[in-house]
Amino acid sequence: MDYHGAWSEEVSDEALMAGVAVGDERAVLVFVRRYQRRLFGLALGIVGDPGHAEDIAQEAFIRILRHASVYDARRASVSTWCLTITRNLAIDALRLRRAVPTAPDDPLFANLCAMRAAPDDAVLARDGVAVALSALAELPDEQRRAVTLSALYGRTAAEVAALESIPLGTAKSRIRLGLSKLRQSVLPIEAT
Amino acid sequence: MNGDARLPMACQRVDEDLASLALGTLAGRERARVLEHLKGCVRCAAEVESLSRAGDALLALAPESEPPVGFELRLMERLREETRPSIEPRSRRRAVLAVAAVLIATLGFGAEALVHAATTSPSSSANPRPLSARLTANGKVLGEVFLTNGSPSWLSMTVDEGSVGGRVRCQVVLTSGGVKTVGTYLLTTGYGAWSMRVDAPANQVRVARLVNSHGVVVARATLPA
Ligand SMILES: [Zn+2]
């Protein structure tokens, strides 16, 4: 148990997590700085309100830091683990609040739906981004919109139906079919 | 609009909702209905598991956004309030370190709570508020020590005064008089914060101290009984 405080921007997520798990103060700060834009951005995309999104992102950080010692690298990458925690918190927080479904208003949503404006190199180089992007590109437009609304913006099938002006059953089918197809591209063959 | 006709009827009835369940967006009675089915259906349970992983993989594309100004400080403040409502920071540096210690202590609780959950002894985490004491040397305050209740307990220490340097050992002195070394750390600039597990119940820890490489006690904190 000897840490020399050499945490930097370059250290891997996994090493950083190990530092966080043993309570290294600098690792915690590097970790928070590395992930705050992503956790806040995800929460904001789901709940739509910056103040509410901040609460959720903070709660997510608190949980992540609290459970860092049980993070299991075999199950998920650090980023996936953190984003999943944030997404679930955001969806739970919203469950009782949103009366009228709203479409995401960030430009990324439109870009993803239209499959244009490739992310910058730094984002593209990130683990899993290229794979997820090409998997999404293979879906028919309407399934891509439905899956994106649900998976990245936390919209329920009923909300997708309202936003897309389609019957609920159709929305469910698009999400279901889209995600199944996507699974074939993003998961290793033996896992499906 | 039901799913694959080759599936058993019970599975067909929930199949359309499996993706929503996997993505976390299914709620209320629908969610309860699907979960009920999953209890008895290996096929659908496996389907949800792999759909979840596909959905998680998509999160790599989640939007990013700059949090509001002060996000980081408010996060630290919140972590501090969660575990220890009354610290009067003397300086920003000190505040950050004290916060880090509480944050570290929080980590300790997390692990502890999970261990308890796993070993089915839910009773012993009654009071999660850490004991605290000033870390001093010759009457001068060098930092703070926090000790969580429970067994094992977690000791967090911050040093933020700047006069102690080099490699130090952190030791605890128990009520029995026994001494345990719980960690060795490098204090590069006289500042540091750590958390360590103490393999003894909190109520048996009397003193926490730092010992330099010559074996000299350079700082100590006496914990409230
Ligand atoms: Zn089934």
Side-chain angles (χ1 to χ4, degrees), chain B residues 57-120:
Chain B
L58 261 192
L59 289 175
L61 301 177
E64 288 184 47
S65 188
E66 200 64 55
V69 175
F71 176 88
E72 202 174 292
L73 276 178
R74 286 190 292 276
L75 172 60
M76 296 305 178
E77 184 68 24
R78 223 176 123 174
L79 285 161
R80 189 175 72 170
E81 279 168 5
E82 265 214 340
T83 40
R84 194 159 173 275
S86 58
I87 296 172
E88 298 126 50
R90 288 196 312 231
S91 68
R92 206 185 129 143
R93 166 98 209 168
R94 185 174 173 78
V96 169
L97 284 175
V99 160
V102 174
L103 185 152
I104 288 159
T106 310
L107 266 176
F109 299 147
E112 203 182 331
L114 285 159
V115 168
H116 283 312
T119 54
T120 67

Side-chain angles (χ1 to χ4, degrees), chain A:
Chain A
M1 284 262 280
D2 211 295
Y3 290 86
H4 296 253
W7 303 114
S8 70
E9 302 308 318
E10 291 81 39
V11 71
S12 77
D13 276 355
E14 285 68 26
L16 199 53
M17 208 53 163
V20 169
V22 297
D24 186 294
E25 171 213 350
R26 281 152 299 199
V28 169
L29 279 179
V30 172
F31 175 78
V32 169
R33 281 172 193 162
R34 182 176 293 185
Y35 273 99
Q36 58 183 0
R37 298 185 78 253
R38 298 183 73 185
L39 301 199
F40 176 74
L42 176 60
L44 183 61
I46 294 172
V47 303
D49 170 71
H52 196 190
E54 170 166 337
D55 278 351
I56 290 157
Q58 293 198 352
E59 180 63 28
F61 270 120
I62 288 168
R63 294 203 186 183
I64 290 162
L65 296 171
R66 197 181 281 163
H67 298 306
S69 56
V70 295
Y71 161 70
D72 183 354
R74 288 163 304 178
R75 284 191 55 84
S77 69
V78 171
S79 62
T80 300
W81 187 62
C82 295
L83 290 165
T84 309
I85 288 171
T86 308
R87 179 198 63 194
N88 294 347
L89 280 172
I91 292 174
D92 282 347
L94 206 60
R95 207 148 261 162
L96 301 169
R97 288 205 184 195
R98 194 165 50 206
V100 181
T102 55
D105 65 356
D106 70 279
L108 177 82
F109 175 64
N111 289 342
L112 281 176
C113 290
M115 280 289 135
R116 58 164 194 260
D120 64 52
D121 291 348
V123 172
L124 207 54
R126 204 181 269 160
D127 236 17
V129 168
V131 171
L133 211 51
S134 72
L136 209 51
E138 285 168 30
L139 299 185
D141 288 356
E142 71 278 6
Q143 288 177 17
R144 182 162 60 240
R145 289 180 64 85
V147 168
T148 302
L149 279 167
S150 262
L152 295 184
Y153 295 91
R155 300 307 195 262
T156 64
E159 288 172 329
V160 171
L163 292 171
E164 300 282 280
S165 308
I166 51 177
L168 176 60
T170 309
K172 286 185 178 184
S173 295
R174 286 181 186 175
I175 297 166
R176 176 72 171 97
L177 282 171
L179 194 59
S180 301
K181 252 181 247 179
L182 207 127
R183 167 176 61 182
Q184 291 166 14
S185 327
V186 298
L187 298 188
I189 288 141
E190 69 273 12
T192 56

Side-chain angles (χ1 to χ4, degrees), chain B residues 132-136 205-208 220-225:
Chain B
S132 68
R134 294 266 153 89
L135 182 70
T136 62
V205 177
R206 207 33 68 241
V207 168
R220 56 183 281 135
T222 304
L223 288 143

